[in-house]
Amino acid sequence: METGSGTEVDIEGGMTPPDPEGGAPGSIVEAPLTTKPKAPYLKKFIEPDSDEEVVSDLRQLYNIHESWRTLLSLPSCQKVMVSDNVQKGMHIEVGVNVTQEFPWKQVKYKDLRDILFEELENVMDLMKLFKNFNQENYVLIGFCPLLTESVEDPPEGDPFIFFASPKDTKTAMGIIQNMEAFERWRMQRRLRKKPRRWVSQGTENEMIVLVEHFKDEPIDVEIQSVYPIQEPKHVAFDYRMARDVRDGVIELLPNENIKFENVTRRRITVAVQSAPALIHREQQTNPTFPSNAWSQYLYEIDESDLELDDTDVEEEEGKLPKPISPAEVQEVPVKPPPEMSDQIKLLLNTLDFNRIDSYRDDYMLISNKQVVQYTNQYLQEFICFANISKSNKRFVAGHDWYPRLSGLIAVSYAFSTPATVKVATNQVDWVQQAVLQPNPVLLWSFADNLNYKLEFEAPIETTSLAFCPFNGDLLLGGCKNGQVVIWDLQGRCERLDEEEYLSAAQAKYRTMIGDFLNWTIDLDEDVIVAPATISPLENSPKGAITGFYWLGNQFYMNNFGKVYTDPDTRVQHKFFVTCAFDGTVSFWNLDPSSKQDKDKMRTRLLPKELTQSESSIKSQTVKPTYNLYFNEPLTGIIADSSVFSIRTPPPKMIMESPANYPTTLVAKNPPTLRQTMILSTFYGHISRVEWLGMYADSDPKEIVNCSVQFAMVHDGPVVSVRKNPFYPELFVSIGRNVFALWKEDYPHSAIFWRKRPCDLTAVAWSETRPAVLYITRIDGILEAWDILARDDDACLIEILGGGIITGITEHRPSLPYKILGIGDYNSSIRMVKLPHSFDVPLDNELQKLMNYVLKEERRKTGIQAWEQKYYELNKDIIEAKREAEEETRKEMERIEREEQLNTRKRQAEDEEENADNSKPTQGLAYNERMAVLWDELNLNRMMTILMSRKQMDPEKLARETALQKEQLSYEAAKKESHVKLLSTLDSEINTIRSRILPAEVPDMQRSEMIQERIKREMEMAESYERVCENSFEILNMFNEFKPIDYIEFLERGRQRRKLLDQALGGNTERLLWYQEKVKNMEIYECNFGYEFLYTTRPESGRPSAEALERPSDIPSDTIDAILSNADTLSKSHQSDDV
């Protein structure tokens, strides 16, 4: 980026003449040093009054070139070349924010200093120019393509100019306003042609023949009348709306939907004796808002300065200047600047190119308090990779990022994935598909979204991909038949953008060789990468490879399945693990063997030209070191594997090549490698398995079983599991409609699980934020979850299409954007920009996530302990209920099986009856059966003769009557089905009734508890004789025995009975109901099916109180005796008291 100042570069000199319309000037040529500098061109453009004036040269009205020359020659004018990245940062991007038509923009000095000055070489000079300059003030900057028009090889960037002095800025603003006014007038003059006076060219004489002529000469009649002169009504004041004149006045109107209710003030009549005399006065007032002419031309420019010097005018006309004597030279008094009011100063600070921005956010100008602005997050599509000719009718199956350069991704395409749904009616020729269809594996780059960079040859459909993190040139692919393919790029990714330069002799030789080999197929060998080695089919798994997982470079495994840690840090092991759909977990080793070393020794004797294009692993046999077999198809594993982060270069290097810049993978290896792992299966299970290894030299394989079963929360196949790169003990799984978050050492329950509206297809953790993960659905929707923000629903739900999404991966580098790759149903992988909130981690986010997980684990452990304690306390009741439910379920199943068996028997009997009815000749004699057969043959013969005589085609008749026959057969089948349905209606009703109203099971538990309680009480109770003796002893011990009322005695007995009923679990509802009815005087209104024996209906229609107080289960004579005794006792007590 280069810069220059207005004082160092002279832009004067000769130029090509502009167009007659006053357009842009031609190329600028530097003038000789002896040329006298011209005066500044400060002419004011005045629009002509009439369009009838013919202007031969518009430069007489206003000269655009001289205006540009004056702008570039101002003392504080600075010329700079601004790169695209700086333009975006300052919002002055050419073609977006500024154009050649509207090149000017105001930028804060703070942004200019922080963004632009860092890229310039003369930073110190610019800082001196802007010394004591307020960083909140604006600097005028403009796009100036004239600076590079005459340069053959311009520097990088676009030319811009800006002014460091406020005085020069005001001068430039005045020139810019005149230029804009002249350009507007010129465009209006070109677009709008006003009608002018008719100029006769003699054509009207030719049109006389078409004019109608009268035979009789017309009579001239002169009519004279007097028309009254009407003077217009004088209007002193009138409404002047903002839409009448476009002078910058803004009218603020309320919403049309708002209805105002005016409240009128009450009129009060007040008598006034006399009114003051009417006085007419005039006063000049300033308008509340200045006029457009004032605001446009109120800059500190004298009118004398606007007029050109006579010498300059004479120079323009080509005349020599007049000599000036020394006596005529006199000092011109300096005119003081005009004084402006506060309103005018506010207006000048508000104006932006003579326009008022009504939508400007003035909050930052009036307040220093920062306000958080909340916006709706969304995904912005960045780029899309697709090649329909290679990947038609396929899905994105495997993908991985190149570890050494950013923006490179390898993608494999397959006809099906674990997340896709196959239609049973879709017939597929598997042999043709495997033999004739290609198996595309492509490498795409952010630098070119139209063409793939490399194509990897694959012998069979590839379902999974992974780059080796220890050697980025090795790409591993898992095939559908279980083989592992390894491609060696040999540094091709670093040479993707290199161009081959041939000399003339080389180009001629290559053309000659091509003419000799024109019969061969033209292959682009620079794009195609052949496999370096393939694992043997007999040693590979038998199902599709579903995942690659890399172990730490300090761990290694022997053929007996034992894991060891190498204490020598200089040795780097390359072990990886694969899981397959046949339930196989295989451990592989990429280190070369001793045979490989022998092959290298042999190739050393060969010429260099024969060995320089060969891969180092071409002759290496890759086969599993050890195999584990599980009895379910596997979709993923969680083990002590390595997780990786990215290290990026400085931002300056990234800006030089934002699409592909060098990166480095950083491995996070676990401290130990345990001989256990977690497996996710296609049957919806998540299980932990352990392997022990072998102690004999045999086939390196071991059958493992589930040691710990994780809780069942998924309602379908578990299609994917992913480990958190920041918190390895935490992993997520998706299966059908449910995704769950797990902790490795807590299999009893998920940390949390959520059910989604449709099937889930892929999941990925964020590479920059520990608590963020991304989930895709079968309906084409992406969900972004922030666990710390909310765990009940997704924070971002974005619709990416109407089809399935089969893959999702995040680009590890964050610059220049955070990219998320999504493989959709169109066999394309789309790159979208993530919102800023999903890129920047929170303060101490990892610790917050760990605290959240541990809190949920403690909560679930507490709930589990409480459930266990409750079960132990109520074990008998819970087990009894469980056994009763089990017996009821078994009984219902037995009844249902019997009903199904009876239904099948009835159907078989009905079929036998129908079969008997369909053979009417089965029970007939031989001669009768032959007669029936003869009749059928005779009928067919007669039908054939009849159709031949009528010349009817049997096939045509069958086609025409097929629809009617089908309708008749349908009606017959419908009637038969209706009759069959009516015959089985009763049994179906009984079946449904038995299911809805199951057989009532008596609650034997309560009866047993009551009997056991009564039995225990009876055993503990004393005998009647012993109770009587104790009672008499107690009574004899009392000196004074207080007599008790008999009614009170009965009441106490009733209370004791009530307490006994409650303690023994007796049914007291009937007694309570009876007492309530007696209390409300409603017992007589109840219909018991019999009449009361102890009372009669009173006259008032209600029973008497005496009758209501008698219990219904006591005989009438007994009650009368009790009442008479009670009266006697009460009278005796009263006499004793007296």
Side-chain angles (χ1 to χ4, degrees):
M1 185 173 296
E2 299 179 0
T3 62
S5 64
T7 58
E8 297 175 358
V9 180
D10 191 5
I11 315 294
E12 302 176 6
M15 66 200 74
T16 59
D19 59 349
E21 293 293 332
S27 61
I28 301 173
V29 183
E30 291 187 2
L33 298 175
T34 57
T35 304
K36 182 180 179 180
K38 295 182 179 181
Y41 185 77
L42 302 176
K43 183 178 180 180
K44 179 180 179 182
F45 170 70
I46 301 176
E47 184 177 349
D49 297 335
S50 175
D51 195 26
E52 297 179 359
E53 301 177 3
V54 179
V55 181
S56 60
D57 190 359
L58 294 181
R59 287 180 294 179
Q60 298 177 4
L61 293 177
Y62 195 81
N63 196 329
I64 292 292
H65 172 67
E66 290 295 327
S67 300
W68 273 107
R69 180 189 60 79
T70 304
L71 288 175
L72 296 176
S73 61
L74 291 175
S76 64
C77 178
Q78 303 293 323
K79 293 90 175 176
V80 293
M81 300 297 293
V82 185
S83 62
D84 296 340
N85 295 329
V86 176
Q87 293 178 22
K88 293 179 182 178
M90 297 175 61
H91 302 289
I92 56 172
E93 188 175 359
V94 177
V96 179
N97 305 109
V98 296
T99 60
Q100 193 168 1
E101 185 180 358
F102 301 101
W104 300 100
K105 188 77 174 178
Q106 282 187 333
V107 181
K108 280 188 177 182
Y109 169 65
K110 179 181 178 181
D111 299 336
L112 191 73
R113 181 194 62 191
D114 297 342
I115 300 177
L116 179 61
F117 285 7
E118 293 181 357
E119 304 292 334
L120 301 180
E121 297 177 357
N122 56 343
V123 181
M124 300 305 298
D125 299 339
L126 294 176
M127 295 298 292
K128 291 179 181 179
L129 289 176
F130 284 96
K131 188 177 181 181
N132 299 328
F133 198 86
N134 189 2
Q135 62 179 0
E136 297 297 331
N137 291 349
Y138 288 87
V139 178
L140 181 64
I141 188 170
F143 172 58
C144 184
L146 295 175
L147 297 176
T148 57
E149 282 186 353
S150 60
V151 181
E152 295 181 357
D153 188 10
E156 183 182 358
D158 296 313
F160 280 82
I161 63 173
F162 62 89
F163 303 94
S165 173
K167 182 177 180 181
D168 292 346
T169 302
K170 292 185 179 180
T171 305
M173 291 286 286
I175 297 174
I176 293 166
Q177 291 167 3
N178 288 304
M179 293 169 63
E180 290 179 351
F182 174 72
E183 290 292 339
R184 286 196 297 268
W185 174 81
R186 190 179 64 173
M187 295 304 297
Q188 291 178 1
R189 182 172 174 269
R190 289 183 176 182
L191 297 177
R192 301 178 183 177
K193 294 293 184 180
K194 298 181 181 179
R196 300 181 180 179
R197 288 194 302 269
W198 171 262
V199 179
S200 176
Q201 302 293 337
T203 57
E204 66 273 7
N205 298 328
E206 300 176 3
M207 303 300 295
I208 297 177
V209 295
L210 300 179
V211 179
E212 183 179 357
H213 296 278
F214 296 96
K215 294 181 179 179
D216 299 335
E217 294 184 0
I219 301 174
D220 296 334
V221 178
E222 183 178 355
I223 300 175
Q224 183 178 3
S225 62
V226 177
Y227 186 78
I229 299 175
Q230 295 182 356
E231 295 181 0
K233 185 179 180 181
H234 178 68
V235 179
F237 297 96
D238 194 3
Y239 288 105
R240 186 260 193 195
M241 301 298 179
R243 61 177 176 271
D244 297 340
V245 181
R246 300 183 61 181
D247 57 353
V249 178
I250 300 175
E251 183 178 2
L252 302 178
L253 298 176
N255 193 352
E256 297 179 355
N257 299 327
I258 300 176
K259 296 182 180 180
F260 295 94
E261 296 180 0
N262 296 328
V263 180
T264 59
R265 185 179 179 181
R266 187 179 64 176
R267 295 185 178 181
I268 301 175
T269 304
V270 180
V272 180
Q273 183 176 1
S274 61
L278 182 62
I279 300 175
H280 297 277
R281 290 180 180 176
E282 294 181 358
Q283 182 179 1
Q284 181 67 31
T285 59
N286 292 328
T288 58
F289 198 90
S291 63
N292 190 23
W294 191 343
S295 63
Q296 186 172 3
Y297 305 111
L298 191 62
Y299 300 102
E300 298 178 2
I301 301 173
D302 299 336
E303 295 182 358
S304 60
D305 296 338
L306 296 177
E307 299 178 358
L308 294 176
D309 192 4
D310 296 339
T311 59
D312 298 335
V313 176
E314 290 176 358
E315 287 180 2
E316 292 179 359
E317 294 177 355
K319 298 179 182 181
L320 295 175
K322 295 180 181 181
I324 302 174
S325 60
E328 295 179 359
V329 179
Q330 57 182 358
E331 295 183 358
V332 180
V334 179
K335 185 179 179 180
E339 296 181 0
M340 294 181 292
S341 61
D342 296 338
Q343 290 82 0
I344 299 302
K345 292 180 180 179
L346 177 61
L347 175 63
L348 290 178
N349 295 330
T350 308
L351 285 177
D352 183 8
F353 293 109
N354 294 327
R355 296 191 303 268
I356 297 177
D357 188 3
S358 301
Y359 302 97
R360 177 186 293 177
D361 185 9
D362 295 332
Y363 184 82
M364 300 302 296
L365 303 177
I366 63 176
S367 175
N368 296 325
K369 183 179 180 181
Q370 298 293 334
V371 178
V372 180
Q373 183 180 5
Y374 296 94
T375 58
N376 293 329
Q377 300 174 352
Y378 65 95
L379 300 178
Q380 182 181 359
E381 186 164 351
F382 171 63
I383 204 171
C384 180
F385 301 129
N387 192 313
I388 304 302
S389 63
K390 297 286 184 181
S391 59
N392 188 23
K393 297 181 181 179
R394 292 174 174 85
F395 301 98
V396 175
H399 44 75
D400 196 15
W401 298 94
Y402 184 65
R404 292 182 181 176
L405 288 176
S406 67
L408 294 178
I409 182 172
V411 184
S412 65
Y413 304 89
F415 288 99
S416 64
T417 65
T420 55
V421 179
K422 298 180 181 178
V423 182
T425 58
N426 188 13
Q427 301 295 331
V428 179
D429 189 351
W430 301 104
V431 177
Q432 181 181 4
Q433 179 176 302
V435 175
L436 301 180
Q437 293 291 340
N439 306 305
V441 180
L442 308 177
L443 181 72
W444 298 92
S445 174
F446 285 176
D448 186 4
N449 65 325
L450 299 179
N451 304 311
Y452 56 86
K453 295 299 182 180
L454 295 176
E455 180 182 0
F456 302 91
E457 292 182 345
I460 200 168
E461 194 174 286
T462 306
T463 58
S464 182
L465 288 177
F467 278 101
C468 178
F470 312 111
N471 184 5
D473 288 334
L474 299 182
L475 175 62
L476 283 70
C479 298
K480 193 173 183 178
N481 61 348
Q483 288 181 290
V484 174
V485 185
I486 302 179
W487 295 276
D488 192 354
L489 280 76
Q490 298 179 348
R492 289 193 181 186
C493 291
E494 285 77 6
R495 303 190 302 268
L496 290 177
D497 297 332
E498 292 183 1
E499 297 182 3
E500 185 180 13
Y501 298 97
L502 301 178
S503 61
Q506 291 174 342
K508 183 179 179 180
Y509 178 76
R510 183 168 294 184
T511 304
M512 183 178 62
I513 294 298
D515 294 338
F516 283 114
L517 300 176
N518 55 1
W519 54 272
T520 60
I521 300 176
D522 188 11
L523 296 176
D524 193 356
E525 296 181 356
D526 294 336
V527 176
I528 298 176
V529 181
T533 183
I534 304 176
S535 64
L537 186 61
E538 60 274 7
N539 297 330
S540 302
K542 303 303 182 287
I545 302 295
T546 56
F548 287 90
Y549 305 89
W550 295 92
L551 301 181
N553 50 17
Q554 75 272 23
F555 303 118
Y556 66 95
M557 174 182 285
N558 59 11
N559 295 330
F560 300 104
K562 296 296 183 180
V563 178
Y564 298 96
T565 302
D566 197 339
D568 189 1
T569 57
R570 295 173 298 178
V571 180
Q572 302 292 328
H573 299 279
K574 300 176 184 177
F575 277 85
F576 65 94
V577 187
T578 61
C579 57
F581 211 69
D582 62 341
T584 304
V585 179
S586 303
F587 295 86
W588 307 72
N589 185 13
L590 277 180
D591 289 334
S593 59
S594 58
K595 182 180 179 181
Q596 177 79 5
D597 299 336
K598 295 179 181 179
D599 294 338
K600 284 185 178 180
M601 294 297 295
R602 296 193 190 101
T603 56
R604 286 181 182 179
L605 302 176
L606 296 176
K608 182 180 179 182
E609 289 76 8
L610 297 178
T611 59
Q612 63 182 358
S613 62
E614 290 188 357
S615 173
S616 59
I617 62 170
K618 188 169 184 178
S619 59
Q620 180 180 352
T621 302
V622 180
K623 61 181 181 180
T625 304
Y626 196 73
N627 293 322
L628 304 177
Y629 289 93
F630 195 65
N631 57 356
E632 295 182 11
L634 302 180
T635 57
I637 64 175
I638 299 295
D640 293 334
S641 57
S642 299
V643 293
F644 302 92
S645 60
I646 201 74
R647 183 185 296 122
T648 57
K652 187 175 182 180
M653 184 181 297
I654 295 176
M655 292 305 175
E656 293 177 358
S657 177
N660 305 116
Y661 53 86
T663 58
T664 305
L665 276 185
V666 179
K668 301 177 182 178
N669 300 323
T672 58
L673 180 59
R674 298 168 294 176
Q675 292 191 183
T676 177
M677 62 178 59
I678 299 172
L679 307 178
S680 64
T681 68
F682 201 70
Y683 294 163
H685 301 149
I686 300 177
S687 308
R688 178 179 287 277
V689 298
E690 298 178 357
W691 75 92
L692 302 176
M694 297 185 304
Y695 297 94
D697 191 3
S698 60
D699 190 12
K701 63 180 180 180
E702 179 180 351
I703 299 175
V704 294
N705 295 319
C706 174
S707 61
V708 177
Q709 182 72 39
F710 281 70
M712 288 289 295
V713 297
H714 295 290
D715 55 352
V718 180
V719 297
S720 180
V721 290
R722 290 291 182 270
K723 181 165 60 173
N724 192 312
F726 300 91
Y727 190 14
E729 296 181 3
L730 192 68
F731 68 95
V732 63
S733 62
I734 57 172
R736 188 63 69 86
N737 298 342
V738 176
F739 90 95
L741 196 68
W742 305 87
K743 195 169 180 288
E744 283 190 12
D745 54 357
Y746 188 72
H748 308 288
S749 175
I751 300 301
F752 73 86
W753 61 272
R754 298 291 180 264
K755 189 175 181 64
R756 309 312 299 155
C758 59
D759 292 358
L760 305 178
T761 57
V763 62
W765 286 97
S766 173
E767 299 290 344
T768 54
R769 291 196 54 189
V772 173
L773 56 91
Y774 308 101
I775 299 174
T776 58
R777 300 180 353 195
I778 199 171
D779 57 353
I781 292 180
L782 170 70
E783 295 182 357
W785 287 73
D786 190 348
I787 301 174
L788 296 180
R790 57 182 303 184
D791 58 2
D792 59 330
D793 201 357
C795 296
L796 174 63
I797 299 178
E798 190 80 11
I799 301 176
L800 299 177
I804 184 174
I805 298 176
T806 57
I808 181 171
T809 176
E810 184 179 351
H811 191 218
R812 287 192 178 97
S814 300
L815 295 176
Y817 310 105
K818 194 61 180 178
I819 305 299
L820 190 66
I822 297 167
D824 59 6
Y825 61 98
N826 287 327
S827 68
S828 61
I829 184 161
R830 299 157 60 185
M831 300 294 166
V832 296
K833 299 178 183 178
L834 286 173
H836 189 63
S837 60
F838 291 99
D839 183 16
V840 180
L842 304 178
D843 295 337
N844 203 13
E845 184 174 356
L846 178 59
Q847 185 62 38
K848 292 180 181 178
L849 177 63
M850 297 174 64
N851 295 337
Y852 170 82
V853 173
L854 296 176
K855 182 191 70 173
E856 290 294 322
E857 182 182 2
R858 289 193 299 269
R859 184 179 66 86
K860 291 180 178 294
T861 305
I863 293 175
Q864 186 179 3
W866 178 84
E867 290 178 351
Q868 183 66 25
K869 184 178 180 181
Y870 180 81
Y871 174 77
E872 293 175 357
L873 294 176
N874 304 274
K875 184 176 181 181
D876 299 338
I877 300 174
I878 295 175
E879 292 295 335
K881 288 184 178 180
R882 187 177 299 171
E883 292 176 0
E885 292 175 357
E886 186 68 21
E887 293 177 358
T888 304
R889 185 182 60 81
K890 291 181 180 180
E891 184 67 20
M892 294 295 295
E893 291 178 355
R894 185 186 63 79
I895 295 173
E896 188 174 359
R897 286 196 298 269
E898 291 179 356
E899 291 178 355
Q900 292 178 358
L901 184 60
N902 294 335
T903 303
R904 292 174 184 173
K905 288 182 180 179
R906 287 195 298 268
Q907 290 178 357
E909 293 175 358
D910 294 341
E911 290 177 358
E912 291 178 359
E913 293 178 0
N914 294 335
D916 295 340
N917 296 332
S918 62
K919 297 180 180 179
T921 61
Q922 189 174 4
L924 300 178
Y926 176 74
N927 55 352
E928 294 178 355
R929 291 200 303 273
M930 291 298 104
V932 171
L933 182 61
W934 169 256
D935 292 340
E936 292 179 356
L937 295 174
N938 192 19
L939 178 61
N940 293 333
R941 182 179 62 82
M942 292 177 64
M943 290 293 294
T944 304
I945 296 172
L946 183 62
M947 294 180 67
S948 62
R949 288 183 178 179
K950 290 189 176 183
Q951 298 180 357
M952 297 184 65
D953 188 4
E955 297 181 357
K956 182 178 180 181
L957 181 62
R959 288 196 305 269
E960 293 178 352
T961 59
L963 183 62
Q964 187 175 4
K965 289 180 179 179
E966 184 179 356
Q967 184 178 2
L968 293 175
S969 62
Y970 171 73
E971 292 179 356
K974 184 177 179 181
K975 290 181 181 179
E976 183 180 357
S977 174
H978 187 64
V979 172
K980 187 183 295 185
L981 182 63
L982 291 177
S983 62
T984 60
L985 184 62
D986 296 336
S987 62
E988 294 292 338
I989 291 175
N990 295 332
T991 302
I992 295 172
R993 185 176 297 169
S994 63
R995 292 182 178 180
I996 297 176
L997 303 173
E1000 184 177 357
V1001 180
D1003 191 1
M1004 303 300 296
Q1005 182 180 0
R1006 183 178 179 84
S1007 301
E1008 293 176 357
M1009 290 175 60
I1010 295 173
Q1011 293 178 1
E1012 183 180 357
R1013 180 74 177 273
I1014 293 174
K1015 183 178 179 181
R1016 185 168 62 252
E1017 293 291 339
M1018 293 297 294
E1019 291 177 355
M1020 295 176 62
E1022 298 179 353
S1023 62
Y1024 179 74
E1025 292 79 5
R1026 181 62 179 169
V1027 171
C1028 289
E1029 293 178 359
N1030 294 337
S1031 300
F1032 280 112
E1033 290 179 0
I1034 294 171
L1035 289 174
N1036 294 330
M1037 291 174 63
F1038 282 100
N1039 298 327
E1040 295 182 0
F1041 182 74
K1042 183 179 179 181
I1044 186 172
D1045 186 44
Y1046 191 72
I1047 299 300
E1048 185 179 356
F1049 175 75
L1050 291 178
E1051 183 62 26
R1052 292 183 180 179
R1054 185 184 301 173
Q1055 294 295 334
R1056 285 193 296 271
R1057 175 64 185 222
K1058 185 177 180 181
L1059 294 175
L1060 287 175
D1061 290 342
Q1062 292 179 357
L1064 297 177
N1067 189 3
T1068 60
E1069 293 180 358
R1070 183 176 179 184
L1071 179 60
L1072 294 175
W1073 175 84
Y1074 174 78
Q1075 292 176 353
E1076 187 69 21
K1077 291 296 182 181
V1078 171
K1079 182 178 179 181
N1080 297 332
M1081 305 291 288
E1082 297 176 355
I1083 191 63
Y1084 193 78
E1085 297 178 0
C1086 299
N1087 186 10
F1088 295 97
Y1090 59 89
E1091 296 183 356
F1092 290 98
L1093 300 176
Y1094 53 84
T1095 184
T1096 58
R1097 181 187 296 269
E1099 297 179 358
S1100 62
R1102 289 183 176 272
S1104 60
E1106 182 182 1
L1108 291 176
E1109 291 296 333
R1110 298 176 181 177
S1112 60
D1113 55 350
I1114 302 175
S1116 176
D1117 300 337
T1118 308
I1119 292 173
D1120 293 337
I1122 292 172
L1123 292 176
S1124 60
N1125 294 333
D1127 294 339
T1128 307
L1129 290 173
S1130 62
K1131 291 179 181 179
S1132 63
H1133 287 310
Q1134 290 177 2
S1135 60
D1136 294 339
D1137 295 338
V1138 172

